[in-house]
């Protein structure tokens, strides 16, 4: 089992033993133990640049490309180059549950951040948008530690983490204050980094363990009425309009409301994903963490998509300078529509119909709320939204309480005096 994980991680290098769990896996893999009982060593992922400071501001695409070009290019697993058959030296060691542990490896903060991001991409398989957000948060944290004279992650203290959390809320000359939800995400990223550093032998203690993310305010999902949704869809344009961008806009908004898809799921959709739409009105959506789910597509959305794919998309694809994009929703230059571009389409339609404070997630919230109002089972709504836990979906039941009150007031003979 350990060998398969090592192979998937890419090129590996011999490294002294770290945790008890990995010690057991190494022993099971046949790596010898010295006479003292402590394991010879475990295999550590090697990127070739692990001790070099990472370049700040690098995007996920460049980061992932670097992984593919380097340690993750499918190189064979490296074998240990040395074995230790004598007694373990006592200098720099501390007692552990399975024997002595070597002192933490000295790695710069930027180097530790790069290794943690590599772990999130390769082993955790987190969504690209999540990794990009974590990278921004952690690069800012690395700069914060550098300003306080911390050259390595092992030098950070609980006070550093707590003051970083406070600095996110207050902002500074270079950064505006962040919302509670954004601060919570950054603290989660920092906590994950320190926990990873302990597991990976980069630090002896976890200073972020006691620093909790701020509690987010309890806000109900914002949904709009069915009449408001219809006005918004009409404001996007008609399926009979000859303008390909109008056809695209109407198809996008119909798709968002008709499936409850996240904006990233809609913009990430490819034409091949809709090949079967005529005979089977359902679509396979890829959500957070690469999780996939089938979602039915309503007749209105199917009609709008058909009009766009037949008469609108070919015109937009013809404007592409490079190779044609496989994306369903294209921008005016023939490339894949971005999340920001899709948000702009919705915003423009909202302005035309006089709707205020409408976002792509508003369509998703409305999708779920209207299903529950229509009598759908909460477990079905959970599956359609792609929620891992039904507890996440239950927040929509609170929204429908107003609907229940209206029905109760109108139907019960003693509801009002």
């Amino acid at each position: 089992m350990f060998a398969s994980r090592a192979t998937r991680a890419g090129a590996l290098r011999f490294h002294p033993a770290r945790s008890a769990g990995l010690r057991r896996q190494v022993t099971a893999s046949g790596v010898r133990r010295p006479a003292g009982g402590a394991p010879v060593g475990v295999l550590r992922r090697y990127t070739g640049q692990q001790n070099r400071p990472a370049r700040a501001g690098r995007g996920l695409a460049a980061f992932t490309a670097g992984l593919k070009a380097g340690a993750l290019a499918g190189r064979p697993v490296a074998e240990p180059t040395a074995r230790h058959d004598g007694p373990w030296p006592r200098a720099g060691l501390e007692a552990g549950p399975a024997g002595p542990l070597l002192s933490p490896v000295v790695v710069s903060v930027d180097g530790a951040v790069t290794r943690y991001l590599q772990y999130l991409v390769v082993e955790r398989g987190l969504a690209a948008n999540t990794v990009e957000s974590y990278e921004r948060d952690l690069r800012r944290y690395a700069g914060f530690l550098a300003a306080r004279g911390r050259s390595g992650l092992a030098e950070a203290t609980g006070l550093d983490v707590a003051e970083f959390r406070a600095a996110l809320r207050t902002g500074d000359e270079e950064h505006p204050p962040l919302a509670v939800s954004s601060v919570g995400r950054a603290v989660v990223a920092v906590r994950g980094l320190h926990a990873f550093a302990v597991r990976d032998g980069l630090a002896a203690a976890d200073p972020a363990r006691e620093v909790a993310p701020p509690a987010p305010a309890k806000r109900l999902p914002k949904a709009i009425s069915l009449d408001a949704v219809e006005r918004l869809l009409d404001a996007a344009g008609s399926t009979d309009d000859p303008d390909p961008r109008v056809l695209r806009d109407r198809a996008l908004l119909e798709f968002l409301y008709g499936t409850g898809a996240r904006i990233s799921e809609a913009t990430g959709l490819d034409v091949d994903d809709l090949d079967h739409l005529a005979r089977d009105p359902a679509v396979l959506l890829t959500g957070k963490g690469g999780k996939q789910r089938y979602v039915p597509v309503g007749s209105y959305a199917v009609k709008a998509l058909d009009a766009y794919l037949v008469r609108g998309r070919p015109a937009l694809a013809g404007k592409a300078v490079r190779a044609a994009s496989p994306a369903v929703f294209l921008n005016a230059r023939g490339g894949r529509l971005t999340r920001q571009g899709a948000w702009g389409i919705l915003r423009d339609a909202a302005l035309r119909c006089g709707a205020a404070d409408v976002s792509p997630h508003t369509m998703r919230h409305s999708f779920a709320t209207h299903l529950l109002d229509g009598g759908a089972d909460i477990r079905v709504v959970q599956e359609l939204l792609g929620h891992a836990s039904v507890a996440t979906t239950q927040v929509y039941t609170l929204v429908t309480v107003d609907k229940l009150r209206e029905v109760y007031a109108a139907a019960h003979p003693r509801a009002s005096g």
Side-chain angles (χ1 to χ4, degrees):
M1 178 179 68
F2 183 75
S4 64
R5 289 185 61 192
T7 303
R8 190 171 69 249
L12 302 166
R13 186 170 74 175
F14 185 72
H15 182 63
R18 298 173 300 183
S19 65
L22 288 181
R23 292 170 192 271
R24 289 192 293 270
Q25 295 181 16
V26 171
T27 305
S29 301
V31 179
R32 289 191 296 119
R33 285 177 176 265
V40 171
V42 298
L43 295 173
R44 178 178 61 162
R45 289 180 301 280
Y46 177 61
T47 65
Q49 294 184 344
Q50 60 196 34
N51 292 324
R52 300 180 187 176
R55 189 166 55 189
R58 182 173 56 171
L60 179 67
F63 177 75
T64 306
L67 296 183
K68 293 180 179 179
L72 303 180
R75 300 174 185 170
V77 177
E79 294 294 333
T81 57
R83 293 186 182 275
H84 180 77
D85 294 316
W88 285 88
R90 304 190 66 84
L93 297 179
E94 56 180 298
L101 294 174
L102 289 182
S103 300
V105 180
V106 178
V107 177
S108 67
V109 178
D110 279 331
V113 169
T114 298
R115 290 173 60 169
Y116 178 54
L117 293 173
Q118 175 182 344
Y119 161 77
L120 295 180
V121 170
V122 177
E123 298 191 28
R124 291 285 304 279
L126 294 190
N129 293 331
T130 302
V131 178
E132 285 180 352
S133 298
Y134 277 20
E135 182 179 16
R136 287 194 302 270
D137 296 334
L138 294 176
R139 297 301 180 197
R140 182 172 176 179
Y141 179 60
F144 180 84
L145 292 180
R148 298 170 72 90
R150 312 293 192 224
S151 58
L153 201 62
E155 300 177 13
T157 65
L159 182 61
D160 292 331
V161 180
E163 293 189 355
F164 175 68
R165 181 184 62 179
L168 294 176
R169 287 292 288 149
T170 58
D172 53 34
E173 295 180 355
E174 298 181 1
H175 306 92
L178 296 183
V180 174
S181 58
S182 298
V183 174
R185 181 200 64 217
V187 173
V188 168
V190 170
R191 284 166 59 94
L193 171 66
H194 281 287
F196 170 82
V198 173
R199 292 195 305 269
D200 219 40
L202 306 181
D206 182 358
R209 175 182 295 181
E210 303 301 327
V211 182
K218 293 184 178 180
R219 296 183 301 174
L220 295 178
K222 181 178 177 57
I224 58 178
S225 67
L226 178 58
D227 290 339
V229 170
E230 291 179 346
R231 289 195 300 270
L232 184 65
L233 295 174
D234 290 339
S238 170
T239 55
D240 297 325
D241 198 297
D243 189 337
R245 290 176 298 179
V246 172
L247 296 174
R248 176 203 61 193
D249 297 352
R250 180 61 183 255
L252 174 64
L253 298 193
E254 287 280 7
F255 183 81
L256 289 175
Y257 178 66
T259 61
R262 300 178 179 93
I263 192 66
S264 57
E265 294 170 347
T267 55
L269 206 62
D270 288 342
V271 174
D272 290 344
D273 299 327
L274 302 179
D275 280 348
H276 62 285
L277 199 60
R279 63 181 184 276
D280 181 18
V283 64
L284 181 64
L285 297 178
T286 303
K288 294 181 177 180
K291 296 178 181 178
Q292 294 184 320
R293 67 187 189 280
Y294 273 105
V295 178
V297 183
S299 60
Y300 288 92
V302 170
K303 178 183 176 182
L305 283 169
D306 184 65
Y308 164 65
L309 292 174
V310 172
R311 294 185 283 113
R313 188 183 181 280
L316 295 176
K319 299 179 181 180
V321 177
R322 302 177 182 176
S325 172
V328 171
F329 298 106
L330 303 178
N331 58 30
R333 297 177 300 278
R336 184 181 295 273
L337 186 68
T338 64
R339 289 182 300 150
Q340 294 79 6
W343 197 97
I345 291 171
L346 179 61
R347 180 188 55 202
D348 292 343
L351 290 175
R352 285 194 292 269
C353 71
D357 196 20
V358 175
S359 70
H361 234 57
T362 303
M363 305 295 282
R364 181 171 163 87
H365 294 326
S366 302
F367 167 83
T369 303
H370 297 167
L371 280 174
L372 291 171
D373 285 343
D377 184 85
I378 191 171
R379 292 285 183 178
V380 174
V381 178
Q382 174 195 354
E383 292 295 327
L384 293 176
L385 293 176
H387 289 160
S389 171
V390 72
T392 308
T393 316
Q394 283 177 336
V395 68
Y396 292 100
T397 63
L398 302 177
V399 179
T400 62
V401 168
D402 291 337
K403 178 72 173 180
L404 295 177
R405 288 196 183 103
E406 292 177 6
V407 174
Y408 173 78
H412 198 279
R414 299 186 69 85
S416 59

